[in-house]
Amino acid sequence: MKHEEHTARVASSDPSVTFEVPAAAQKLLSVLESAHFESWLVGGFVRDSLRNTTPHDCDIATQAPWQQTETLCQQAGFPTYQTGIKHGTLSVNVEGSIIEVTTFRKEGFYSDHRHPDSVEFVDSITTDLARRDFTINAMAYHPTRGLYDPFDGRTDLAHGTIRCVGDAPTRFDEDALRIVRALRFAAQLGFALEPTTEAALYDKQDLLGVVAVERITTELEKMICGDFIKDVLMRYLDVIGLILPELLPMKGFDQRTPYHIYDVLEHTAHVVSYSRPQPTIRWAALFHDAGKPATFSVDEKGIGHMYGHPEVSETLFLQAAKRLRLPRQLTNNAALLIRYHDTFPAPTKKSVRKLYRRLNYSDDLFYAMCNLMRADSRSQAPWTQTRLATIDSIEQCFTRMREEEEFFSVKDLAINGNDVIGCGIPAGPKVGAILDQLMHEVEEEALKNTRDALLARTRELMQTY
Ligand code: ATP
Ligand code: MG
């Protein structure tokens, strides 16, 4: 039985398709296949190799039950880790490369739209591929047998199409995360949803509410970091708005200002796609103007103003970040970028120092801010583009100042904590607060860094601290 199935499958794979397979994956395939367990490279590895982009990881599907994979790998000297044995997944360390090996499986009924009630191990790669989400993700490859593609993912890949494997409404019903995954692949690859898949996505969008937030966040972040996120935001904001309702008022919101040629959504979609594809910057870009609709006013000349919008945008972002359980550091950094995105610094040492301080003296955040400001400017009216040169100068000024060590810390002040205590402040947190304040004033060139000036200012500050 096993032999017959194997022959049938080999006959229907296409050995003329060949691409490079890392040596570690080759070795692992050989170990499994020498023990007569049919094994294939699957998923993102096959998709990316066929697109001529370098795959970032390597997944193998095998007929071997995970216990057998474990024994065979250990005999071959490859350490294994039981990272997901409930679903038949082992991680294997092949000479330093980690490869995930999963037993062929199909999934039972999804009564909660997010977890299969059961996982059943099966004997056939075809059944395993049938449980996968999209045809472009449901292909298998073997270095000698070539491409096995029972759902014609290759054609969809060539046409730039995202199509569910099997009946689209059923597949979204089973696991509603696939709705976000569809948009994630659209944003990463620049592909279009096949009409039946798109109709099912709209039909089933309300099921997003039952998906575990951590699973959504991972996909959402990959989505916003995609090269083609602009089109996805423009076309699917209503669906994305089920997860990020804070963004919905941006759609069609006319800013009525000469600075802008787009509504808030289209402007934002441009800013996100122009900004560096790194999560902190992309989250900040996505939310940077979300507070505009709530702060909108029109003056007597009919010009729109959105005073205080960065603070409101920041609050909206913090609300979303909490719900999505974004990591604290990312949240804080993106919040700072949002808060200060609209401060129009000048390329002077004074304002560079001020911005650096506002960004907690983080070089990464300073460069991230320049990147965001540039993306923001590029998405405004063409006549505002002179700002780009200013942002370049700010960045150059910052780099030069870093090289020339023109920033200092509290330690570089001409007085220290003992001097502050000597002015009559009790030892404790107030001393640090006063030193910080002195440093900020020196940085902003409001105060000279001399012993006399600092002591005089300390005495003044004592009144308020
Ligand atoms: P990436 O390059 O981002 O890792 P990937 O295609 O490898 O993309 P993964 O999330 O790593 O995506 O999933 C690996 C494979 O598992 C997918 O290619 C797909 O075949 C399958 N898969 C993952 N999640 C689902 C899901 N929710 N429903 C069905 N199949 C899925
Ligand atoms: Mg992957």
Side-chain angles (χ1 to χ4, degrees), residues 131-146:
R131 72 160 170 98
R132 294 173 184 272
D133 47 8
F134 307 112
T135 58
I136 54 167
N137 291 342
M139 295 182 272
Y141 180 78
H142 184 277
T144 51
R145 297 192 294 272

Side-chain angles (χ1 to χ4, degrees), residues 209-427:
V210 298
V211 182
V213 74
E214 295 80 2
R215 295 178 79 212
I216 290 197
T217 301
T218 310
E219 295 296 333
L220 209 53
E221 196 155 285
K222 289 184 177 177
M223 181 187 90
I224 65 172
C225 289
D227 286 347
F228 303 90
I229 179 62
K230 175 162 79 63
D231 301 334
V232 171
L233 282 173
M234 293 303 294
R235 190 174 175 102
Y236 297 107
L237 189 80
D238 294 341
V239 180
I240 296 165
L242 293 167
I243 309 167
L244 299 173
E246 293 85 0
L247 303 182
L248 285 171
M250 302 197 307
K251 189 173 174 177
F253 197 90
D254 178 0
Q255 314 189 48
R256 297 216 237 158
T257 141
Y259 293 99
H260 283 279
I261 47 174
Y262 301 126
D263 71 11
V264 180
L265 173 62
E266 193 167 4
H267 164 73
T268 298
H270 277 91
V271 178
V272 177
S273 68
Y274 283 138
S275 68
R276 200 189 315 145
Q278 189 255 326
T280 307
I281 303 184
R282 288 275 166 117
W283 278 113
L286 187 63
F287 276 84
H288 78 289
D289 276 355
K292 277 189 169 174
T295 53
F296 185 73
S297 64
V298 183
D299 67 19
E300 62 285 358
K301 293 190 194 116
I303 307 275
H305 298 280
M306 283 131 308
Y307 299 117
H309 79 268
E311 288 77 11
V312 178
S313 301
E314 183 188 356
T315 307
L316 292 171
F317 168 68
L318 290 174
Q319 182 183 308
K322 190 168 175 202
R323 203 175 53 242
L324 296 172
R325 306 202 191 122
L326 296 184
R328 185 186 299 261
Q329 173 103 23
L330 181 149
T331 304
N332 292 345
N333 287 344
L336 283 177
L337 293 179
I338 295 169
R339 192 185 314 159
Y340 297 118
H341 80 267
D342 209 29
T343 47
F344 297 100
T348 60
K349 287 184 180 178
K350 188 171 157 182
S351 53
V352 165
R353 280 202 183 97
K354 184 166 170 182
L355 184 58
Y356 192 39
R357 165 160 64 83
R358 287 174 153 176
L359 299 175
N360 288 339
Y361 305 98
S362 157
D363 290 19
D364 285 350
L365 266 187
F366 196 96
Y367 288 115
M369 182 62 111
C370 292
N371 185 273
L372 177 63
M373 292 191 301
R374 224 179 258 120
D376 194 6
S377 280
R378 286 175 69 191
S379 311
Q380 295 176 356
W383 68 267
T384 66
Q385 300 302 299
T386 48
R387 240 191 109 196
L388 287 174
T390 311
I391 299 164
D392 288 346
S393 306
I394 291 169
E395 196 170 66
Q396 284 154 13
C397 181
F398 176 71
T399 303
R400 214 169 29 245
M401 288 170 75
R402 288 298 278 140
E403 281 163 10
E404 291 165 11
E405 293 184 14
E406 288 207 37
F407 294 99
F408 45 74
S409 67
V410 168
K411 286 196 206 93
D412 301 312
L413 287 174
I415 62 170
N416 62 25
N418 287 334
D419 297 314
V420 175
I421 293 166
C423 291
I425 305 231

Side-chain angles (χ1 to χ4, degrees), residues 410 416-421 425-438 465:
V410 168
N416 62 25
N418 287 334
D419 297 314
V420 175
I421 293 166
I425 305 231
K430 275 189 189 168
V431 176
I434 288 193
L435 287 171
D436 277 343
Q437 178 65 25
L438 293 173
Y465 276 77

Side-chain angles (χ1 to χ4, degrees), residues 161-215:
T161 304
I162 295 170
R163 181 195 309 270
C164 286
V165 173
D167 179 56
T170 309
R171 304 313 309 282
F172 289 137
D173 247 337
E174 287 170 354
D175 180 4
L177 182 72
R178 291 171 189 154
I179 294 170
V180 195
R181 284 178 61 87
L183 301 184
R184 183 264 264 207
F185 287 111
Q188 285 183 322
L189 306 172
F191 285 15
L193 270 58
E194 171 278 323
T196 317
T197 296
E198 185 179 64
L201 177 133
Y202 283 124
D203 230 36
K204 301 293 178 182
Q205 58 183 2
D206 290 340
L207 292 175
L208 279 174
V210 298
V211 182
V213 74
E214 295 80 2
R215 295 178 79 212

Side-chain angles (χ1 to χ4, degrees), residues 44-45 47 56-57 59 184 222:
F45 180 87
R47 181 193 68 227
H56 67 86
D57 56 13
D59 293 327
R184 183 264 264 207
K222 289 184 177 177

